[in-house]
Amino acid sequence: MDFDFSQLPAAERYRLMTAAITPRPIAWVTTQSAAGARNAAPYSFFNMMGSEPPIVVIGMGRRADGSHKDSTANILETREFVVNLVSETDAAAMNLTSIDAPSDIDEIALAGLTTAPSLAVAPPRIATAPVAMECRLYQAQEIGRATLIIGQVLRFHVRDEFYDPASRRLDTAAMQIVGRVHGAGGYVRGTDLFELDRPNWAAWRDAWVE
Ligand SMILES: Cc1cc2nc3c(=O)[nH]c(=O)nc-3n(C[C@H](O)[C@H](O)[C@H](O)COP(=O)(O)O)c2cc1C
């Protein structure tokens, strides 16, 4: 089976792509409007795209009426946001903050989230998040009904229990970060791991020609 995407309605393209492109990390984005209204919402069209400079990208869609979502509007207005990562403990609260509440509703209060002040940007970070990245908008790219938010990470917070200063390692498994998968309410834990050694051409070539 193959699909000519130019012949499919957008909703069908969305269904196919989101069911296949899994698992996706979740950016639990906190923002604040210029007037000070706080907002939190999850976005799984998200990843890091570089470390020099440290860049994250989030794909934000539009509401049915074509308007920007609150997170998008706040980021375009203030150029600041925080990407919080989601532990299993926070999963239900994260899911609740995706609610289609009116713009004047503070989802941070609605979901009973504990916040902590950020250091470089105005929006607070979520205190229970294992990792929170304070970001400044590097560039926004409007592509059809998507706004690609390209952010530069200014500060990287990790909760003390997940970082060993001696080895400079994060305990990723202990953070119990959840991801997004197929299905309306589908999430995944990062517990079923396996490893593959990174191939090295010099060693590979010698073994191959023997
Ligand atoms: C786990 C999860 C991931 C989501 N990912 C996205 C996404 O990548 N892009 C998007 O536009 N909406 C995404 N949504 C929907 C938004 O969270 C939802 O539209 C929310 O109401 C937006 O809130 P805001 O207007 O406060 O920014 C996702 C929802 C959930 C539950």
Side-chain angles (χ1 to χ4, degrees), residues 102-123:
S103 298
D104 59 341
I105 297 295
D106 176 354
E107 287 97 350
I108 294 174
L110 182 85
L113 305 177
T114 307
T115 60
S118 295
L119 298 173
V121 298

mmCIF file with all atom_site columns, all heavy atoms in Angstrom, residues 102-123:
data_model
loop_
_atom_site.group_PDB
_atom_site.id
_atom_site.type_symbol
_atom_site.label_atom_id
_atom_site.label_alt_id
_atom_site.label_comp_id
_atom_site.label_asym_id
_atom_site.label_entity_id
_atom_site.label_seq_id
_atom_site.pdbx_PDB_ins_code
_atom_site.Cartn_x
_atom_site.Cartn_y
_atom_site.Cartn_z
_atom_site.occupancy
_atom_site.B_iso_or_equiv
_atom_site.pdbx_formal_charge
_atom_site.auth_seq_id
_atom_site.auth_comp_id
_atom_site.auth_asym_id
_atom_site.auth_atom_id
_atom_site.pdbx_PDB_model_num
ATOM 1   N N   . PRO A 1 102 ? -10.454 28.020 27.341 1.00 0.00 ? 102 PRO A N   1
ATOM 2   C CA  . PRO A 1 102 ? -10.286 29.375 26.798 1.00 0.00 ? 102 PRO A CA  1
ATOM 3   C C   . PRO A 1 102 ? -8.925  29.958 27.178 1.00 0.00 ? 102 PRO A C   1
ATOM 4   O O   . PRO A 1 102 ? -8.316  29.527 28.164 1.00 0.00 ? 102 PRO A O   1
ATOM 5   C CB  . PRO A 1 102 ? -11.422 30.170 27.472 1.00 0.00 ? 102 PRO A CB  1
ATOM 6   C CG  . PRO A 1 102 ? -12.356 29.171 28.040 1.00 0.00 ? 102 PRO A CG  1
ATOM 7   C CD  . PRO A 1 102 ? -11.609 27.892 28.230 1.00 0.00 ? 102 PRO A CD  1
ATOM 8   N N   . SER A 1 103 ? -8.489  30.964 26.396 1.00 0.00 ? 103 SER A N   1
ATOM 9   C CA  . SER A 1 103 ? -7.142  31.520 26.574 1.00 0.00 ? 103 SER A CA  1
ATOM 10  C C   . SER A 1 103 ? -6.897  32.080 27.969 1.00 0.00 ? 103 SER A C   1
ATOM 11  O O   . SER A 1 103 ? -5.765  32.102 28.441 1.00 0.00 ? 103 SER A O   1
ATOM 12  C CB  . SER A 1 103 ? -6.889  32.622 25.552 1.00 0.00 ? 103 SER A CB  1
ATOM 13  O OG  . SER A 1 103 ? -6.947  32.081 24.265 1.00 0.00 ? 103 SER A OG  1
ATOM 14  N N   . ASP A 1 104 ? -7.973  32.551 28.634 1.00 0.00 ? 104 ASP A N   1
ATOM 15  C CA  . ASP A 1 104 ? -7.747  33.176 29.946 1.00 0.00 ? 104 ASP A CA  1
ATOM 16  C C   . ASP A 1 104 ? -7.646  32.152 31.078 1.00 0.00 ? 104 ASP A C   1
ATOM 17  O O   . ASP A 1 104 ? -7.469  32.507 32.231 1.00 0.00 ? 104 ASP A O   1
ATOM 18  C CB  . ASP A 1 104 ? -8.851  34.209 30.239 1.00 0.00 ? 104 ASP A CB  1
ATOM 19  C CG  . ASP A 1 104 ? -10.245 33.588 30.227 1.00 0.00 ? 104 ASP A CG  1
ATOM 20  O OD1 . ASP A 1 104 ? -10.397 32.488 29.652 1.00 0.00 ? 104 ASP A OD1 1
ATOM 21  O OD2 . ASP A 1 104 ? -11.168 34.197 30.788 1.00 0.00 ? 104 ASP A OD2 1
ATOM 22  N N   . ILE A 1 105 ? -7.762  30.860 30.744 1.00 0.00 ? 105 ILE A N   1
ATOM 23  C CA  . ILE A 1 105 ? -7.621  29.832 31.783 1.00 0.00 ? 105 ILE A CA  1
ATOM 24  C C   . ILE A 1 105 ? -6.137  29.461 31.916 1.00 0.00 ? 105 ILE A C   1
ATOM 25  O O   . ILE A 1 105 ? -5.468  29.183 30.918 1.00 0.00 ? 105 ILE A O   1
ATOM 26  C CB  . ILE A 1 105 ? -8.447  28.571 31.423 1.00 0.00 ? 105 ILE A CB  1
ATOM 27  C CG1 . ILE A 1 105 ? -9.936  28.907 31.354 1.00 0.00 ? 105 ILE A CG1 1
ATOM 28  C CG2 . ILE A 1 105 ? -8.178  27.435 32.413 1.00 0.00 ? 105 ILE A CG2 1
ATOM 29  C CD1 . ILE A 1 105 ? -10.567 29.336 32.662 1.00 0.00 ? 105 ILE A CD1 1
ATOM 30  N N   . ASP A 1 106 ? -5.647  29.472 33.148 1.00 0.00 ? 106 ASP A N   1
ATOM 31  C CA  . ASP A 1 106 ? -4.251  29.131 33.437 1.00 0.00 ? 106 ASP A CA  1
ATOM 32  C C   . ASP A 1 106 ? -4.169  27.618 33.653 1.00 0.00 ? 106 ASP A C   1
ATOM 33  O O   . ASP A 1 106 ? -4.562  27.114 34.706 1.00 0.00 ? 106 ASP A O   1
ATOM 34  C CB  . ASP A 1 106 ? -3.820  29.908 34.690 1.00 0.00 ? 106 ASP A CB  1
ATOM 35  C CG  . ASP A 1 106 ? -2.410  29.560 35.147 1.00 0.00 ? 106 ASP A CG  1
ATOM 36  O OD1 . ASP A 1 106 ? -1.803  28.635 34.572 1.00 0.00 ? 106 ASP A OD1 1
ATOM 37  O OD2 . ASP A 1 106 ? -1.924  30.222 36.077 1.00 0.00 ? 106 ASP A OD2 1
ATOM 38  N N   . GLU A 1 107 ? -3.658  26.906 32.645 1.00 0.00 ? 107 GLU A N   1
ATOM 39  C CA  . GLU A 1 107 ? -3.603  25.436 32.762 1.00 0.00 ? 107 GLU A CA  1
ATOM 40  C C   . GLU A 1 107 ? -2.638  24.986 33.857 1.00 0.00 ? 107 GLU A C   1
ATOM 41  O O   . GLU A 1 107 ? -2.726  23.864 34.349 1.00 0.00 ? 107 GLU A O   1
ATOM 42  C CB  . GLU A 1 107 ? -3.181  24.780 31.441 1.00 0.00 ? 107 GLU A CB  1
ATOM 43  C CG  . GLU A 1 107 ? -4.232  24.801 30.352 1.00 0.00 ? 107 GLU A CG  1
ATOM 44  C CD  . GLU A 1 107 ? -4.032  25.940 29.372 1.00 0.00 ? 107 GLU A CD  1
ATOM 45  O OE1 . GLU A 1 107 ? -3.185  26.818 29.661 1.00 0.00 ? 107 GLU A OE1 1
ATOM 46  O OE2 . GLU A 1 107 ? -4.722  25.948 28.337 1.00 0.00 ? 107 GLU A OE2 1
ATOM 47  N N   . ILE A 1 108 ? -1.719  25.854 34.218 1.00 0.00 ? 108 ILE A N   1
ATOM 48  C CA  . ILE A 1 108 ? -0.779  25.520 35.295 1.00 0.00 ? 108 ILE A CA  1
ATOM 49  C C   . ILE A 1 108 ? -1.549  25.387 36.609 1.00 0.00 ? 108 ILE A C   1
ATOM 50  O O   . ILE A 1 108 ? -1.357  24.437 37.372 1.00 0.00 ? 108 ILE A O   1
ATOM 51  C CB  . ILE A 1 108 ? 0.330   26.598 35.392 1.00 0.00 ? 108 ILE A CB  1
ATOM 52  C CG1 . ILE A 1 108 ? 1.191   26.553 34.119 1.00 0.00 ? 108 ILE A CG1 1
ATOM 53  C CG2 . ILE A 1 108 ? 1.175   26.404 36.640 1.00 0.00 ? 108 ILE A CG2 1
ATOM 54  C CD1 . ILE A 1 108 ? 2.234   27.649 34.021 1.00 0.00 ? 108 ILE A CD1 1
ATOM 55  N N   . ALA A 1 109 ? -2.485  26.333 36.829 1.00 0.00 ? 109 ALA A N   1
ATOM 56  C CA  . ALA A 1 109 ? -3.328  26.267 38.035 1.00 0.00 ? 109 ALA A CA  1
ATOM 57  C C   . ALA A 1 109 ? -4.338  25.130 37.908 1.00 0.00 ? 109 ALA A C   1
ATOM 58  O O   . ALA A 1 109 ? -4.554  24.362 38.851 1.00 0.00 ? 109 ALA A O   1
ATOM 59  C CB  . ALA A 1 109 ? -4.041  27.606 38.226 1.00 0.00 ? 109 ALA A CB  1
ATOM 60  N N   . LEU A 1 110 ? -4.917  25.003 36.709 1.00 0.00 ? 110 LEU A N   1
ATOM 61  C CA  . LEU A 1 110 ? -5.933  23.961 36.459 1.00 0.00 ? 110 LEU A CA  1
ATOM 62  C C   . LEU A 1 110 ? -5.402  22.572 36.803 1.00 0.00 ? 110 LEU A C   1
ATOM 63  O O   . LEU A 1 110 ? -6.092  21.752 37.397 1.00 0.00 ? 110 LEU A O   1
ATOM 64  C CB  . LEU A 1 110 ? -6.345  24.027 34.983 1.00 0.00 ? 110 LEU A CB  1
ATOM 65  C CG  . LEU A 1 110 ? -7.420  23.063 34.515 1.00 0.00 ? 110 LEU A CG  1
ATOM 66  C CD1 . LEU A 1 110 ? -8.791  23.663 34.788 1.00 0.00 ? 110 LEU A CD1 1
ATOM 67  C CD2 . LEU A 1 110 ? -7.278  22.762 33.031 1.00 0.00 ? 110 LEU A CD2 1
ATOM 68  N N   . ALA A 1 111 ? -4.168  22.303 36.405 1.00 0.00 ? 111 ALA A N   1
ATOM 69  C CA  . ALA A 1 111 ? -3.586  20.970 36.616 1.00 0.00 ? 111 ALA A CA  1
ATOM 70  C C   . ALA A 1 111 ? -2.868  20.876 37.960 1.00 0.00 ? 111 ALA A C   1
ATOM 71  O O   . ALA A 1 111 ? -2.278  19.832 38.270 1.00 0.00 ? 111 ALA A O   1
ATOM 72  C CB  . ALA A 1 111 ? -2.623  20.636 35.474 1.00 0.00 ? 111 ALA A CB  1
ATOM 73  N N   . GLY A 1 112 ? -2.895  21.958 38.759 1.00 0.00 ? 112 GLY A N   1
ATOM 74  C CA  . GLY A 1 112 ? -2.274  21.937 40.085 1.00 0.00 ? 112 GLY A CA  1
ATOM 75  C C   . GLY A 1 112 ? -0.766  21.764 40.030 1.00 0.00 ? 112 GLY A C   1
ATOM 76  O O   . GLY A 1 112 ? -0.180  21.095 40.893 1.00 0.00 ? 112 GLY A O   1
ATOM 77  N N   . LEU A 1 113 ? -0.126  22.361 39.021 1.00 0.00 ? 113 LEU A N   1
ATOM 78  C CA  . LEU A 1 113 ? 1.316   22.177 38.862 1.00 0.00 ? 113 LEU A CA  1
ATOM 79  C C   . LEU A 1 113 ? 2.092   23.080 39.810 1.00 0.00 ? 113 LEU A C   1
ATOM 80  O O   . LEU A 1 113 ? 1.691   24.221 40.070 1.00 0.00 ? 113 LEU A O   1
ATOM 81  C CB  . LEU A 1 113 ? 1.739   22.499 37.421 1.00 0.00 ? 113 LEU A CB  1
ATOM 82  C CG  . LEU A 1 113 ? 1.016   21.729 36.320 1.00 0.00 ? 113 LEU A CG  1
ATOM 83  C CD1 . LEU A 1 113 ? 1.492   22.211 34.955 1.00 0.00 ? 113 LEU A CD1 1
ATOM 84  C CD2 . LEU A 1 113 ? 1.267   20.237 36.484 1.00 0.00 ? 113 LEU A CD2 1
ATOM 85  N N   . THR A 1 114 ? 3.207   22.568 40.304 1.00 0.00 ? 114 THR A N   1
ATOM 86  C CA  . THR A 1 114 ? 4.129   23.376 41.093 1.00 0.00 ? 114 THR A CA  1
ATOM 87  C C   . THR A 1 114 ? 5.182   23.925 40.145 1.00 0.00 ? 114 THR A C   1
ATOM 88  O O   . THR A 1 114 ? 5.792   23.173 39.379 1.00 0.00 ? 114 THR A O   1
ATOM 89  C CB  . THR A 1 114 ? 4.816   22.507 42.165 1.00 0.00 ? 114 THR A CB  1
ATOM 90  O OG1 . THR A 1 114 ? 3.804   21.845 42.901 1.00 0.00 ? 114 THR A OG1 1
ATOM 91  C CG2 . THR A 1 114 ? 5.665   23.355 43.087 1.00 0.00 ? 114 THR A CG2 1
ATOM 92  N N   . THR A 1 115 ? 5.380   25.236 40.181 1.00 0.00 ? 115 THR A N   1
ATOM 93  C CA  . THR A 1 115 ? 6.368   25.834 39.287 1.00 0.00 ? 115 THR A CA  1
ATOM 94  C C   . THR A 1 115 ? 7.556   26.361 40.094 1.00 0.00 ? 115 THR A C   1
ATOM 95  O O   . THR A 1 115 ? 7.476   26.514 41.313 1.00 0.00 ? 115 THR A O   1
ATOM 96  C CB  . THR A 1 115 ? 5.762   26.990 38.474 1.00 0.00 ? 115 THR A CB  1
ATOM 97  O OG1 . THR A 1 115 ? 5.283   27.989 39.376 1.00 0.00 ? 115 THR A OG1 1
ATOM 98  C CG2 . THR A 1 115 ? 4.639   26.502 37.583 1.00 0.00 ? 115 THR A CG2 1
ATOM 99  N N   . ALA A 1 116 ? 8.613   26.632 39.375 1.00 0.00 ? 116 ALA A N   1
ATOM 100 C CA  . ALA A 1 116 ? 9.795   27.274 39.964 1.00 0.00 ? 116 ALA A CA  1
ATOM 101 C C   . ALA A 1 116 ? 10.188  28.390 39.008 1.00 0.00 ? 116 ALA A C   1
ATOM 102 O O   . ALA A 1 116 ? 9.956   28.274 37.791 1.00 0.00 ? 116 ALA A O   1
ATOM 103 C CB  . ALA A 1 116 ? 10.927  26.259 40.115 1.00 0.00 ? 116 ALA A CB  1
ATOM 104 N N   . PRO A 1 117 ? 10.771  29.475 39.545 1.00 0.00 ? 117 PRO A N   1
ATOM 105 C CA  . PRO A 1 117 ? 11.124  30.568 38.637 1.00 0.00 ? 117 PRO A CA  1
ATOM 106 C C   . PRO A 1 117 ? 12.222  30.158 37.670 1.00 0.00 ? 117 PRO A C   1
ATOM 107 O O   . PRO A 1 117 ? 13.122  29.391 38.030 1.00 0.00 ? 117 PRO A O   1
ATOM 108 C CB  . PRO A 1 117 ? 11.616  31.672 39.579 1.00 0.00 ? 117 PRO A CB  1
ATOM 109 C CG  . PRO A 1 117 ? 11.653  31.109 40.941 1.00 0.00 ? 117 PRO A CG  1
ATOM 110 C CD  . PRO A 1 117 ? 11.084  29.736 40.939 1.00 0.00 ? 117 PRO A CD  1
ATOM 111 N N   . SER A 1 118 ? 12.139  30.660 36.453 1.00 0.00 ? 118 SER A N   1
ATOM 112 C CA  . SER A 1 118 ? 13.236  30.471 35.501 1.00 0.00 ? 118 SER A CA  1
ATOM 113 C C   . SER A 1 118 ? 14.281  31.545 35.780 1.00 0.00 ? 118 SER A C   1
ATOM 114 O O   . SER A 1 118 ? 14.012  32.537 36.470 1.00 0.00 ? 118 SER A O   1
ATOM 115 C CB  . SER A 1 118 ? 12.709  30.583 34.072 1.00 0.00 ? 118 SER A CB  1
ATOM 116 O OG  . SER A 1 118 ? 11.820  29.516 33.815 1.00 0.00 ? 118 SER A OG  1
ATOM 117 N N   . LEU A 1 119 ? 15.465  31.359 35.228 1.00 0.00 ? 119 LEU A N   1
ATOM 118 C CA  . LEU A 1 119 ? 16.566  32.291 35.486 1.00 0.00 ? 119 LEU A CA  1
ATOM 119 C C   . LEU A 1 119 ? 16.794  33.264 34.327 1.00 0.00 ? 119 LEU A C   1
ATOM 120 O O   . LEU A 1 119 ? 17.182  34.409 34.540 1.00 0.00 ? 119 LEU A O   1
ATOM 121 C CB  . LEU A 1 119 ? 17.849  31.511 35.770 1.00 0.00 ? 119 LEU A CB  1
ATOM 122 C CG  . LEU A 1 119 ? 17.766  30.606 37.008 1.00 0.00 ? 119 LEU A CG  1
ATOM 123 C CD1 . LEU A 1 119 ? 19.006  29.737 37.123 1.00 0.00 ? 119 LEU A CD1 1
ATOM 124 C CD2 . LEU A 1 119 ? 17.582  31.445 38.263 1.00 0.00 ? 119 LEU A CD2 1
ATOM 125 N N   . ALA A 1 120 ? 16.540  32.797 33.101 1.00 0.00 ? 120 ALA A N   1
ATOM 126 C CA  . ALA A 1 120 ? 16.869  33.627 31.931 1.00 0.00 ? 120 ALA A CA  1
ATOM 127 C C   . ALA A 1 120 ? 15.638  34.094 31.168 1.00 0.00 ? 120 ALA A C   1
ATOM 128 O O   . ALA A 1 120 ? 15.748  34.954 30.290 1.00 0.00 ? 120 ALA A O   1
ATOM 129 C CB  . ALA A 1 120 ? 17.788  32.848 30.993 1.00 0.00 ? 120 ALA A CB  1
ATOM 130 N N   . VAL A 1 121 ? 14.468  33.499 31.467 1.00 0.00 ? 121 VAL A N   1
ATOM 131 C CA  . VAL A 1 121 ? 13.239  33.862 30.758 1.00 0.00 ? 121 VAL A CA  1
ATOM 132 C C   . VAL A 1 121 ? 12.117  34.062 31.776 1.00 0.00 ? 121 VAL A C   1
ATOM 133 O O   . VAL A 1 121 ? 12.215  33.603 32.917 1.00 0.00 ? 121 VAL A O   1
ATOM 134 C CB  . VAL A 1 121 ? 12.834  32.768 29.724 1.00 0.00 ? 121 VAL A CB  1
ATOM 135 C CG1 . VAL A 1 121 ? 13.905  32.600 28.652 1.00 0.00 ? 121 VAL A CG1 1
ATOM 136 C CG2 . VAL A 1 121 ? 12.523  31.444 30.412 1.00 0.00 ? 121 VAL A CG2 1
ATOM 137 N N   . ALA A 1 122 ? 11.047  34.728 31.345 1.00 0.00 ? 122 ALA A N   1
ATOM 138 C CA  . ALA A 1 122 ? 9.941   35.034 32.264 1.00 0.00 ? 122 ALA A CA  1
ATOM 139 C C   . ALA A 1 122 ? 9.047   33.834 32.588 1.00 0.00 ? 122 ALA A C   1
ATOM 140 O O   . ALA A 1 122 ? 8.634   33.677 33.745 1.00 0.00 ? 122 ALA A O   1
ATOM 141 C CB  . ALA A 1 122 ? 9.106   36.185 31.703 1.00 0.00 ? 122 ALA A CB  1
ATOM 142 N N   . PRO A 1 123 ? 8.711   32.970 31.612 1.00 0.00 ? 123 PRO A N   1
ATOM 143 C CA  . PRO A 1 123 ? 7.802   31.864 31.959 1.00 0.00 ? 123 PRO A CA  1
ATOM 144 C C   . PRO A 1 123 ? 8.448   30.944 32.995 1.00 0.00 ? 123 PRO A C   1
ATOM 145 O O   . PRO A 1 123 ? 9.656   30.670 32.914 1.00 0.00 ? 123 PRO A O   1
ATOM 146 C CB  . PRO A 1 123 ? 7.612   31.107 30.630 1.00 0.00 ? 123 PRO A CB  1
ATOM 147 C CG  . PRO A 1 123 ? 8.118   32.004 29.568 1.00 0.00 ? 123 PRO A CG  1
ATOM 148 C CD  . PRO A 1 123 ? 9.095   32.938 30.197 1.00 0.00 ? 123 PRO A CD  1
#
